[in-house]
Amino acid sequence: MAGKVTFFDSSTSFSSNRNPQGFQPASPDIPRFSPLAKARHELDGSAQAQDQISRCFNKLRSLRPSDSATLKTELNLLFDQLISENYSTGNHDNIQPEVVCEMLMHASRLVPLSQEHLIIKLCQLIHQLLNQLQVIVDEHTLDVLVSYCSRALRTCSSWTHPEVLLALSSLVYGNGSRCHRHLPELLGPSGILVSYGDPSQPDIELRRSAVHCIANLCLSVPGQPYLEEPYKGVCYGILLRTLQSPKPPDVEDIIFCTLLQSALKGMQYFLNGGKWKGVPNQDLGTLLAVLKRFMFYGLPGISVEMPQVLYPAPLPQYETVPAAKPEPSQDSSVQKKTAGSQQNKKRKSRGKGKKAGAEGKKDGEEGDGDHISGLLKTGGGGVDQSGWSLGSPSVSVTSQSGVTPQLYPSWKKGSSDSEFSDPEGGMQSKIRLYQARVRQSALQCFLAVVKCVEKRILYGYWSSFVPDAPGIGGPPPLTLLTIALKDPSPKVRAGSLQVLSALLEGSRQFLSTAEDTSAPRQAFTPFSATLAAGVRELHRCLLLALVAESSCQTLTQVLKCLAHLVSNVPYNRLRPGLLSPLWKQIRPYVRHRDVNVRVSSLTLFGALVSTQAPLPEIQLLLQQPGSASTLGTPGISTPQELSHNWRLPARRDGEVSSPGVGAEGAPEGPCWLLQLCVSLVTLPREEPYSDSDAGGSSGASLEPSPVRLEALQVLAHLVKGYFSLAQTSLLELGQLSARCLTEQDASVQLHGAKLLEELGTGIIQQYRADANTTPQSAKCVPVVEFWSEVLGGPLISALQNEQHPTLQTSACDTLSSILPQAFSQLPDKTQVLCITILLGLTYSENSLVKAAAVRALGVYILFPCLREDVMFVADTANAILTALDDRSPNVRAKAAWSLGNLTDTLIVNMQSVGLEFQEEFSDMLLLNMLRSATKASGDKDRVKSNAVRALGNLLHFLQPVHLGKPVFEQPLQEAIRALIDTVRGDATMKVRWNACYALGNAFRNHNLPLGSAVWSKEAYSALSHVVTSCKNFKVRIKSAAALSVPSTRDRYGDVHQFAEVWRALAQALEHSEETEDFLEYRYCASLRSQLCRALLHLLSVCQPDDLQALRSSLSDQSRPVLRGFLVHYISDKGASLAAGVDGADEAADHLVPEDGLMVLNETLTRLKGPLEEAVLDSGEDLKTVVGFLEDVVRSFEEIKESDSKDSFLTLSKSSQQKRK
């Protein structure tokens, strides 16, 4: 907003409703009006305030410019009275922005530039009104007042300029793009802000005021354009030079901190203005070096010597923490005496709830005694491995204030807080507060860098901010973890964790290269091992931060950061053992007194059970008995947990435990995490919560709603990843979901439905996995019981709840996850009820509900007990066709998917049931399906991909009775034309792949006039073009498979058409290893296998007229290449060429390389037999083809004989060695 301004000495949020210190009226002789006293009643006070302000406004508007002393006196009185008001209270909410803008413009006309005292007061009034009333000035007012301020800066004395710049910063806040007329005067080569903001400016007040204005100019409000170039680059240069310049010797630390804070906030605004562009004057390495320097600014015990530029490299650069002179002996002795007692004292204070430092203060205060790094032990009594030693008096460094404290901060050494009462101690505390705000601003700026710079570029600087390995034998690396572990300010620690979370988010591909399972190399350390060591160090440091943290807000950030880490680390490529310590440490935090900590710990548990599930290490941890008390287990209790133990886990877990037989290798009863989550959802809370729990509970006695929702999400992840452990509690989880569906909270209902869906999906997957081990009837009994209870409960009511369409959508998804074999054993009335509800919901007015219902029908149409029911198939088809005409693309996409499934059912029924089903199915419905699918093939790609699949199935399904009807003639041609156009088009790979598959499916219908129809030539031409030119090899594979589908020679058309197909396949095989995309090489073997199979198929059906075309392609330089590929295909090595093929149908097309030799011999027999007798004029052509095939067979036999000899020699050598 235009009126939101900032103060130099405010917090890093840059938003304040306080009057700035030091900006009082310039004339002390003029009396100031005190603010209005509060009236007895709030209404009366508001009315009096409104009347007072209105009188002042009206009186000011009634004045006219003049040189009289009376006008000057009246303006002084009016300005003083208006400035004295506190406009941030609710008494001034009715002041209209238009009135404020009119009054300020009129006041600027009344105050001439010669009256500098009045200018000071006017600027104060501008700042106060725009800031406290949050006024958005219109463009005309902005132009007038910015012009006025610019003229004042040009003509008035320099002592007025700080106040003028303060008003200017209020005006330009978020209005940089709207000040385009004044930008040359402000930011031009000789601009006011450029000269005042330059590091060479001797007046620090002017300099920080100018930098503050520049920062507000860089702020961009959503919906408005950003600051235009070249002025944006000018701002960046000034801000960067400000951050790079050293502190002048005569400037106070607090003043310099406010300057740095303004510059960092301006840099943050600049970075928020769009994606990072690496222009010559904006080097990312330089900016990151500056930010890293200020991330440690004033941090006790650290003096950073940072390079001017950070370069992207996998290895850390030189960063030193130099040792300074030790402190005087008396301080050293004090430290020796009190270090242990201080640590013990702090360890105790962390468990006292609101008595802890950071938790008992307001948001604007920084805790001095809330974080002692002496707690950072690695477990088992070992010393902290990060390289910091709090008890060593010989390690001391130089701080920003010039003193030389030891690593243990000097202000934490005393036995009481009385030492802070003296002025020096208070000033030092204030300096530390401002330095912490600088560090916080630097971290916020770095967070903006992470968001605006591409991750692939930022990962080059990974080692500069994330530790690679623990520092042993030298100074520790200065990273984000250093701040999270050592900074005394909880807000700064939380900021560093936020940045680390942003870096880790979406880093799965980068971290996927980490690996340390193999034996370590002695010659060199590969990058994968370095990255793996860094991942392990991240786990170690974050665990230390988890144990040592006392601030609830920062503790929440630690848990969130761990969740991001767990979600992106490839644990299957790392040695086991990383997750077990983490698992044990976070168990107590589920019972933490702060609701946000409890929610974050559950989020972390959800990440643990969902990442790369199932992990063997997590499987073992889940199988641990839940009765083991976390308090009695060494190594898992934390300082916070020892005193925050307000819930009794053993009793709660015991209440929900139920007897049962677990899976093989699992303990009896449900796993402890499942028990815990069920208890959090269902059981009442046992003791009062902290203040942050207020208003968070959906019931008077249950857990807060965020905790219950997160527990339900953990259950869903647990069921999805480790269903074998959850299936022992199947009925209990079903009852829990049913209970959730009956509650009033819509979020709880949605999560209950989601849990039901995951249960259904897990049942289906487990049923498929156990298909060959357990009798089908034995497995279905508990599943049928489960679904009978679910469908007899509130799920049906949720499906019919039109007031909550999102719940209806989730309930539809749940209904689609029923095991087909269990559905067939449900009562008939239950089956009919499910089908009827789904058919009705396809006509819902809500698009999400309609899409979910159509998708569920697409699942049901594949059920064996339903797919042969002609009436159900017909009803489903009509519902799907109606949805295909919906306005919502999402509904049409789901309908196209369901139509593809329905046509798959038609093909299955055609093969299993036969003509009976085809005769009962309506011809008009089939015609409508053909037309709708053809129309949908011209839709968006997400609709088109399944529409062309349905077209292929429909063309395969058509029978002579259909093709003989004139009404089918035009739709048939339009359908094939749609497939041809899709194959030739520029759609996505999936769409073209499905189109090629659909054409091959249509070619399987012997009733279609393939070869003689007009469209045959176009279809073969399209497939031939794709098989030779498509960049995607999977599309080429499917087109080659389609070209090998016709079973007889006449279906390939005339000689020219057959020759075109042969040449295309031969050319594609010859160039099968040529590709521009490296990722396509993994499909080269599959492509060659399919091309060889297609060529052999063409040879097996060729006729005498085709030999000339075959000879022309076998007589040139392509002959040895083709021969080599064919020999490789028919050899034993060819059996592996089909690896990597997707889809069952595609795999079936490739599982024939061992039959290639048989096809080749049959072709040779035919060419030398009856076909040779029929050849008269093409003797040379026949000899060339036969000679080529004989060469292939001969080469194959030579390879086979050579392999046999090698095997014999190997066996002989092994037998001789055994005799010896």
Side-chain angles (χ1 to χ4, degrees):
M1 296 176 60
K4 189 175 181 181
V5 296
T6 59
F7 299 94
F8 303 123
D9 58 346
S10 64
S11 65
T12 53
S13 63
F14 265 65
S15 175
S16 175
N17 55 10
R18 297 178 289 113
N19 287 327
Q21 298 179 0
F23 294 108
Q24 299 300 327
S27 177
D29 298 332
I30 301 178
R32 298 287 302 272
F33 282 82
S34 61
L36 293 174
K38 291 186 178 180
R40 241 174 234 185
H41 301 288
E42 185 177 350
L43 185 61
D44 295 340
S46 176
Q48 291 182 9
Q50 291 289 342
D51 293 340
Q52 182 76 5
I53 298 301
S54 298
R55 285 195 298 269
C56 292
F57 279 13
N58 293 331
K59 188 172 183 179
L60 185 62
R61 284 197 295 262
S62 65
L63 298 177
R64 293 294 178 266
S66 68
D67 295 332
S68 63
T70 304
L71 176 63
K72 180 179 178 181
T73 302
E74 291 182 352
L75 286 176
N76 268 307
L77 293 174
L78 286 174
F79 285 164
D80 286 342
Q81 191 163 358
L82 290 172
I83 292 172
S84 65
E85 277 295 327
N86 182 11
Y87 298 97
S88 60
T89 62
N91 297 335
H92 306 89
D93 293 340
N94 296 328
I95 299 179
Q96 299 299 320
E98 297 81 4
V99 176
V100 175
C101 293
E102 179 188 354
M103 185 199 69
L104 291 178
M105 284 196 299
H106 186 67
S108 66
R109 300 187 190 100
L110 295 175
V111 179
L113 297 179
S114 58
Q115 299 293 331
E116 295 183 347
H117 289 283
L118 289 178
I119 291 176
I120 291 292
K121 293 188 177 183
L122 175 60
C123 290
Q124 288 182 355
L125 182 62
I126 292 174
H127 165 73
Q128 187 168 345
L129 288 176
L130 297 185
N131 177 53
Q132 295 187 4
L133 293 178
Q134 300 291 294
V135 172
I136 302 176
V137 297
D138 55 76
E139 194 163 353
H140 176 63
T141 304
L142 180 67
D143 183 63
V144 171
L145 295 180
V146 170
S147 298
Y148 182 84
C149 291
S150 299
R151 294 196 306 271
L153 291 172
R154 294 290 185 187
T155 59
C156 296
S157 302
S158 60
W159 65 272
T160 64
H161 289 185
E163 297 285 359
V164 179
L165 289 172
L166 179 65
L168 183 61
S169 67
S170 303
L171 290 167
V172 302
Y173 185 88
N175 287 321
S177 59
R178 299 168 62 186
C179 299
H180 53 85
R181 195 171 71 86
H182 305 282
L183 290 179
E185 187 178 4
L186 297 175
L187 296 175
S190 59
I192 302 171
L193 299 181
V194 173
S195 59
Y196 282 170
D198 191 84
S200 60
Q201 171 61 238
D203 192 333
I204 192 65
E205 292 291 340
L206 288 178
R207 182 181 169 192
R208 67 169 184 165
S209 300
V211 171
H212 188 56
C213 283
I214 292 173
N216 288 353
L217 275 171
C218 292
L219 177 66
S220 57
V221 179
Q224 293 186 5
Y226 302 122
L227 187 67
E228 59 186 12
E229 294 290 352
Y231 303 109
K232 189 176 180 180
V234 172
C235 292
Y236 176 84
I238 295 175
L239 296 173
L240 185 62
R241 290 195 300 273
T242 301
L243 295 173
Q244 291 176 327
S245 60
K247 184 178 80 72
D250 57 341
V251 175
E252 297 180 1
D253 288 335
I254 293 180
I255 299 298
F256 189 66
C257 286
T258 58
L259 172 64
L260 295 176
Q261 193 176 347
S262 296
L264 289 168
K265 184 58 65 173
M267 189 64 73
Q268 180 184 349
Y269 292 156
F270 173 87
L271 295 169
N272 290 336
K275 291 296 182 181
W276 176 268
K277 298 179 181 179
V279 297
N281 295 329
Q282 298 177 13
D283 179 62
L284 181 60
T286 304
L287 176 61
L288 291 179
V290 170
L291 294 181
K292 186 170 183 180
R293 172 190 169 196
F294 288 108
M295 283 161 46
F296 298 93
Y297 182 79
L299 185 61
I302 294 180
S303 177
V304 184
E305 294 181 5
M306 197 69 60
Q308 294 296 320
V309 182
L310 294 181
Y311 297 100
L315 299 177
Q317 293 177 277
Y318 293 102
E319 299 163 7
T320 58
V321 184
K325 298 179 180 179
E327 288 187 319
S329 57
Q330 62 268 23
D331 290 339
S332 301
S333 61
V334 170
Q335 182 179 357
K336 291 179 182 179
K337 294 179 181 179
T338 62
S341 60
Q342 284 287 343
Q343 293 182 18
N344 294 332
K345 182 187 297 184
K346 197 59 193 178
R347 189 186 301 272
K348 294 179 181 179
S349 67
R350 289 190 174 198
K352 296 181 181 179
K354 292 185 179 180
K355 293 182 181 180
E359 297 171 13
K361 299 186 178 184
K362 298 181 181 179
D363 293 339
E365 298 176 347
E366 301 290 342
D368 291 332
D370 60 351
H371 189 75
I372 294 184
S373 53
L375 287 171
L376 303 183
K377 301 296 179 69
T378 59
V383 183
D384 178 19
Q385 297 179 8
S386 62
W388 298 86
S389 177
L390 299 183
S392 175
S394 61
V395 181
S396 59
V397 294
T398 304
S399 66
Q400 293 291 337
S401 59
V403 298
T404 58
Q406 295 182 343
L407 278 178
Y408 194 84
S410 60
W411 58 85
K412 293 184 181 179
K413 295 180 183 178
S415 58
S416 67
D417 293 336
S418 59
E419 59 185 320
F420 295 121
S421 59
D422 62 287
E424 183 180 357
M427 180 56 65
Q428 289 296 322
S429 177
K430 192 173 183 180
I431 291 175
R432 294 196 301 271
L433 175 63
Y434 277 79
Q435 289 174 342
R437 289 175 178 174
V438 172
R439 298 196 298 272
Q440 186 178 358
S441 295
L443 288 167
Q444 290 175 348
C445 192
F446 188 23
L447 183 62
V449 171
V450 175
K451 293 179 178 179
C452 73
V453 178
E454 293 185 35
K455 286 291 182 70
R456 63 181 181 86
I457 298 176
L458 208 56
Y459 288 147
Y461 302 91
W462 177 271
S463 61
S464 297
F465 299 96
V466 180
D468 288 333
I472 300 176
L478 299 180
T479 63
L480 291 169
L481 273 306
T482 308
I483 303 173
L485 292 171
K486 305 300 179 183
D487 201 292
S489 168
K491 291 185 178 180
V492 179
R493 298 197 300 271
S496 67
L497 293 165
Q498 285 178 340
V499 175
L500 184 57
S501 297
L503 278 174
L504 291 171
E505 186 177 5
S507 62
R508 182 174 303 172
Q509 185 176 1
F510 171 70
L511 296 178
S512 63
T513 57
E515 183 178 12
D516 63 359
T517 55
S518 58
R521 298 175 181 266
Q522 299 297 331
F524 69 96
T525 302
F527 177 72
S528 59
T530 302
L531 195 57
V535 168
R536 291 188 174 276
E537 181 67 2
L538 276 174
H539 282 77
R540 189 187 74 86
C541 293
L542 287 176
L543 270 179
L544 291 176
L546 184 68
V547 173
E549 190 54 63
S550 62
S551 168
C552 292
Q553 293 79 7
T554 311
L555 189 59
T556 302
Q557 292 298 328
V558 176
L559 293 168
K560 289 181 179 180
C561 189
L562 279 168
H564 283 293
L565 177 65
V566 169
S567 300
N568 291 279
V569 169
Y571 292 101
N572 52 0
R573 295 169 57 91
L574 302 175
R575 296 192 308 273
L578 274 178
L579 296 177
S580 298
L582 175 60
W583 184 278
K584 294 177 181 178
Q585 289 288 0
I586 64 174
R587 287 180 66 169
Y589 292 98
V590 183
R591 299 180 302 278
H592 197 275
R593 65 186 183 84
D594 186 83
V595 64
N596 294 318
V597 175
R598 298 204 299 277
V599 171
S600 299
S601 61
L602 287 172
T603 303
L604 180 52
F605 269 122
L608 286 168
V609 298
S610 62
T611 179
Q612 304 162 41
L615 283 174
E617 187 175 358
I618 297 295
Q619 186 101 8
L620 292 175
L621 292 170
L622 287 170
Q623 292 176 357
Q624 291 178 353
S627 59
S629 175
T630 57
L631 296 178
T633 304
I636 67 171
S637 59
T638 65
Q640 305 93 321
E641 193 270 342
L642 288 174
S643 57
H644 294 171
N645 175 32
W646 59 276
R647 185 178 288 120
L648 300 178
R651 188 181 69 182
R652 165 162 285 194
D653 293 345
E655 291 176 356
V656 298
S657 60
S658 58
V661 180
E664 183 178 355
E668 291 188 357
C671 70
W672 71 268
L673 182 59
L674 187 147
Q675 285 183 307
L676 173 66
C677 292
V678 171
S679 67
L680 291 174
V681 177
T682 58
L683 296 185
R685 59 189 182 188
E686 298 177 358
E687 291 188 17
Y689 295 101
S690 62
D691 295 338
S692 59
D693 292 349
S697 177
S698 59
S701 60
L702 295 176
E703 286 277 359
S705 181
V707 176
R708 302 181 69 212
L709 296 179
E710 202 64 40
L712 287 170
Q713 286 190 4
V714 174
L715 284 174
H717 291 313
L718 182 63
V719 169
K720 183 177 181 180
Y722 301 88
F723 182 78
S724 60
L725 296 177
Q727 63 180 349
T728 57
S729 306
L730 187 62
L731 296 180
E732 182 183 3
L733 292 175
Q735 295 170 0
L736 172 65
S737 301
R739 170 176 174 168
C740 293
L741 288 173
T742 60
E743 296 196 14
Q744 298 297 323
D745 191 341
S747 298
V748 175
Q749 292 177 334
L750 287 174
H751 283 75
K754 179 64 177 177
L755 178 58
L756 269 181
E757 182 186 356
E758 293 294 348
L759 285 170
T761 305
I763 290 172
I764 294 175
Q765 294 176 351
Q766 189 75 10
Y767 185 91
R768 293 172 181 172
D770 298 341
N772 300 324
T773 58
T774 309
Q776 304 294 314
S777 58
K779 290 188 297 183
C780 282
V781 171
V783 178
V784 172
E785 181 182 357
F786 168 78
W787 281 113
S788 297
E789 291 192 12
V790 169
L791 294 174
L795 181 62
I796 300 300
S797 301
L799 285 166
Q800 298 173 331
N801 189 351
E802 297 181 357
Q803 302 299 323
H804 297 286
T806 309
L807 179 61
Q808 283 183 295
T809 302
S810 185
C812 287
D813 294 336
T814 302
L815 212 58
S816 67
S817 64
I818 299 179
L819 181 69
Q821 290 76 6
F823 186 86
S824 62
Q825 298 182 29
L826 293 174
D828 291 341
K829 62 178 183 180
T830 303
Q831 296 184 29
V832 173
L833 179 62
C834 294
I835 294 171
T836 304
I837 291 177
L838 289 178
L839 288 172
L841 290 178
T842 58
Y843 298 95
S844 172
E845 295 181 358
N846 187 279
S847 61
L848 294 177
V849 177
K850 185 184 298 186
V854 170
R855 179 192 171 276
L857 287 175
V859 174
Y860 277 28
I861 200 66
L862 299 176
F863 285 7
C865 61
L866 296 177
R867 67 189 179 199
E868 296 180 5
D869 186 345
V870 179
M871 294 302 298
F872 171 72
V873 174
D875 292 340
T876 302
N878 286 319
I880 291 173
L881 295 181
T882 302
L884 268 179
D885 292 330
D886 195 83
R887 295 181 300 173
S888 171
N890 185 44
V891 174
R892 297 198 302 273
K894 300 295 184 183
W897 180 82
S898 298
L899 182 61
N901 287 0
L902 190 148
T903 55
D904 288 340
T905 296
L906 296 182
I907 301 301
V908 173
N909 289 339
M910 181 180 67
Q911 298 170 353
S912 60
V913 181
L915 294 175
E916 181 181 353
F917 180 86
Q918 294 171 314
E919 292 174 354
E920 294 182 9
F921 198 76
S922 170
D923 293 350
M924 291 305 299
L925 180 57
L926 185 63
L927 180 62
N928 290 335
M929 293 170 62
L930 191 63
R931 288 172 173 169
S932 297
T934 303
K935 179 182 177 182
S937 65
D939 206 332
K940 296 182 179 180
D941 283 354
R942 57 187 303 205
V943 181
K944 186 185 300 185
S945 61
N946 285 295
V948 295
R949 177 167 71 97
L951 276 179
N953 287 329
L954 291 171
L955 293 174
H956 187 187
F957 183 78
L958 291 176
Q959 300 302 310
V961 64
H962 305 127
L963 299 176
K965 295 181 179 181
V967 70
F968 275 89
E969 182 178 355
Q970 183 177 355
L972 172 64
Q973 295 181 0
E974 292 176 353
I976 296 179
R977 168 61 60 184
L979 292 179
I980 294 173
D981 291 342
T982 305
V983 170
R984 286 177 170 172
D986 56 351
T988 60
M989 179 276 295
K990 182 178 180 181
V991 174
R992 300 183 72 185
W993 188 94
N994 278 343
C996 293
Y997 173 82
L999 275 179
N1001 204 2
F1003 289 174
R1004 290 184 171 89
N1005 189 348
H1006 299 283
N1007 301 312
L1008 290 178
L1010 182 63
S1012 59
V1014 178
W1015 47 263
S1016 298
K1017 183 177 181 180
E1018 297 183 12
Y1020 282 121
S1021 177
L1023 292 173
S1024 300
H1025 175 72
V1026 168
V1027 82
T1028 57
S1029 62
C1030 184
K1031 295 181 179 180
N1032 188 277
F1033 277 15
K1034 294 183 71 174
V1035 177
R1036 289 197 195 186
I1037 292 171
K1038 189 50 62 178
S1039 61
L1043 289 173
S1044 62
V1045 167
S1047 57
T1048 59
R1049 170 63 186 83
D1050 60 308
R1051 296 180 64 80
Y1052 280 101
D1054 56 18
V1055 177
H1056 298 290
Q1057 184 62 58
F1058 185 88
E1060 179 185 354
V1061 174
W1062 171 268
R1063 284 194 297 267
L1065 292 171
Q1067 180 183 353
L1069 181 59
E1070 183 180 356
H1071 302 284
S1072 59
E1073 295 182 347
E1074 299 176 5
T1075 178
E1076 298 178 359
D1077 190 354
F1078 177 78
L1079 296 177
E1080 297 299 325
Y1081 277 109
R1082 54 182 171 171
Y1083 301 111
C1084 279
S1086 300
L1087 175 60
R1088 290 195 297 269
S1089 177
Q1090 184 58 61
L1091 289 171
C1092 290
R1093 180 180 182 274
L1095 287 172
L1096 290 177
H1097 176 70
L1098 289 181
L1099 286 171
S1100 66
V1101 300
C1102 68
Q1103 296 299 319
D1105 294 340
D1106 305 321
L1107 295 177
Q1108 183 178 1
L1110 300 181
R1111 177 192 176 189
S1112 62
S1113 62
L1114 298 176
S1115 301
D1116 54 11
Q1117 57 185 0
S1118 302
R1119 176 170 178 149
V1121 178
L1122 297 178
R1123 181 183 61 194
F1125 284 133
L1126 288 175
V1127 169
H1128 193 67
Y1129 172 74
I1130 64 177
S1131 65
D1132 293 339
K1133 298 178 182 178
S1136 62
L1137 293 182
V1141 180
D1142 296 340
D1145 296 329
E1146 191 171 339
D1149 292 339
H1150 287 73
L1151 296 179
V1152 290
E1154 65 276 8
D1155 298 333
L1157 181 61
M1158 181 181 65
V1159 175
L1160 194 58
N1161 289 328
E1162 291 177 355
T1163 302
L1164 273 174
T1165 303
R1166 188 173 65 89
L1167 289 176
K1168 293 180 179 180
L1171 192 59
E1172 185 176 8
E1173 298 175 358
V1175 175
L1176 297 177
D1177 300 331
S1178 304
E1180 293 297 327
D1181 299 335
L1182 180 60
K1183 290 180 181 179
T1184 302
V1185 175
V1186 171
F1188 172 77
L1189 296 180
E1190 289 177 344
D1191 287 346
V1192 173
V1193 175
R1194 189 181 307 110
S1195 300
F1196 165 72
E1197 292 175 350
E1198 292 175 356
I1199 293 176
K1200 189 174 182 180
E1201 182 179 357
S1202 176
D1203 292 342
S1204 299
K1205 292 181 179 180
D1206 293 340
S1207 301
F1208 177 76
L1209 292 175
T1210 303
L1211 291 174
S1212 300
K1213 290 181 180 179
S1214 62
S1215 61
Q1216 291 176 3
Q1217 291 176 355
K1218 289 180 179 179
R1219 291 174 183 176
K1220 292 180 180 180

